[in-house]
């Protein structure tokens, strides 16, 4: 019997590519997104069912989880919806702070909680959250993004103890820079004049043709998500791509202090 994956933020990027990847492998896919009416291409796929979900809307979440479970057993829940903020903290508003925490962090926890009774009843199920290399190391001007992704890492690691006792699993996937709408329409870029000089230096590197041209293809992430869902391993983390693997290795080898000092030199030395 085919398995079923429930995906958040499946309208573009990693979520959409992963919906198509799992559907091509014969899985049933429940692809959720804020505007399912705009996903005609996914709707054409007979293995994909579209449902509405804004992960910051708890009432809609309850309804959508109920509808999804009425369709049959869910085997994997992929918490993918998320976005980045890059810029100085002083340029961000409280509304922006709440929005990124609710999307990248609170929404993940609420969705996990909403699916737990279903998983317990089925005596099986796996949660996978798309974290980021930014959940394991810290770069300049990504403070709010790191706050949410580092939180996901700690939360997941602790959750694994209680879920594994019930025969359930929870994992995170850490992509490096990947070609999606992340650095385009989804990115929030706050500005503040006190930081213009350093932020401009940072942006020159972060948005350079070299960096943008080297973004990894989105399918590389879908492949690793598929591996995490099917490899039968009791493994917490799955890094994706050269940048993520190299940066994490450097952080472990050099230690947190030296890794940080090296980045400071790379971005801000005159
Ligand atoms: P995209 O911008 O292409 O996709 C982001 C998705 O999240 C969109 O479908 C967007 O929906 C959805 N989304 C945003 N807010 C909400 C919300 N409130 N409710 C439901 N869906 C929402 O970027 P990616 O595919 O790259 O991002 C997917 C995940 O991958 C994120 O968690 C991101 O942090 C992570 N990631 C990405 C990396 C990269 O370099 N691309 C690197 C590391 C991690 P809508 O179309 O409605 O805006």
């Amino acid at each position: 019997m085919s398995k079923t994956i429930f995906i958040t933020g499946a309208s573009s990027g990693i979520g959409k590519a992963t919906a198509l990847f799992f559907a091509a492998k014969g899985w049933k896919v429940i692809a959720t997104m804020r505007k399912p009416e705009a996903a005609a291409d996914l709707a054409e796929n007979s293995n994909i069912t579209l449902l509405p979900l804004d992960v910051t809307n708890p009432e809609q979440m309850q309804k959508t989880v109920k509808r999804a479970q009425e369709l049959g057993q869910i085997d994997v829940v992929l918490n993918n919806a998320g976005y980045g903020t890059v810029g100085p903290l002083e340029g961000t508003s409280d509304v922006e702070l709440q929005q990124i925490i609710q999307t990248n962090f609170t929404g993940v926890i609420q969705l996990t909680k909403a699916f737990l009774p279903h998983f317990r009843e089925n005596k099986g199920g796996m949660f996978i959250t798309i974290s980021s290399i930014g959940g394991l190391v810290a770069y300049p001007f990504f403070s709010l993004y790191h706050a949410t992704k580092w939180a996901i890492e700690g939360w997941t690691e602790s959750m694994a103890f209680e879920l594994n006792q019930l025969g359930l699993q929870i994992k995170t996937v850490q992509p490096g820079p990947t070609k999606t709408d992340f650095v385009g329409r989804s990115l929030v870029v706050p500005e503040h004049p006190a930081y213009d000089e350093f932020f401009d230096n940072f942006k020159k590197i972060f948005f350079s043709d070299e960096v943008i041209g080297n973004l990894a293809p989105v399918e590389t992430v879908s492949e690793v998500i598929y591996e995490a869902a099917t490899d039968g391993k009791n493994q917490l983390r799955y890094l994706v791509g050269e940048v993520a693997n190299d940066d994490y290795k450097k952080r472990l080898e050099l230690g947190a202090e030296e890794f940080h000092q090296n980045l400071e030199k790379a971005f801000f030395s005159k």
Side-chain angles (χ1 to χ4, degrees), residues 9 11-12 14 34 54-55 80 145 149 178 180-181 185-186:
S11 62
S12 70
I14 294 169
R34 290 189 280 200
D54 178 333
V55 297
N80 163 74
Y145 186 66
K149 297 293 187 180
T178 309
T180 66
D181 289 347
R185 70 173 176 99
S186 299

Side-chain angles (χ1 to χ4, degrees), residues 8-16 32-35 53-57 79-84 99 103-104 130-134 145 149 173-183 185-187 215 218:
T8 64
S11 62
S12 70
I14 294 169
K16 181 174 182 174
T32 71
M33 61 196 74
R34 290 189 280 200
K35 291 188 189 139
L53 182 56
D54 178 333
V55 297
T56 67
N57 180 338
N79 278 300
N80 163 74
Y83 67 95
Q99 183 68 22
T103 309
N104 293 7
I130 306 303
S131 167
S132 167
I133 179 58
Y145 186 66
K149 297 293 187 180
V173 171
Q174 292 80 17
T178 309
K179 200 169 181 188
T180 66
D181 289 347
F182 184 87
V183 183
R185 70 173 176 99
S186 299
L187 194 68
L215 294 173
V218 72

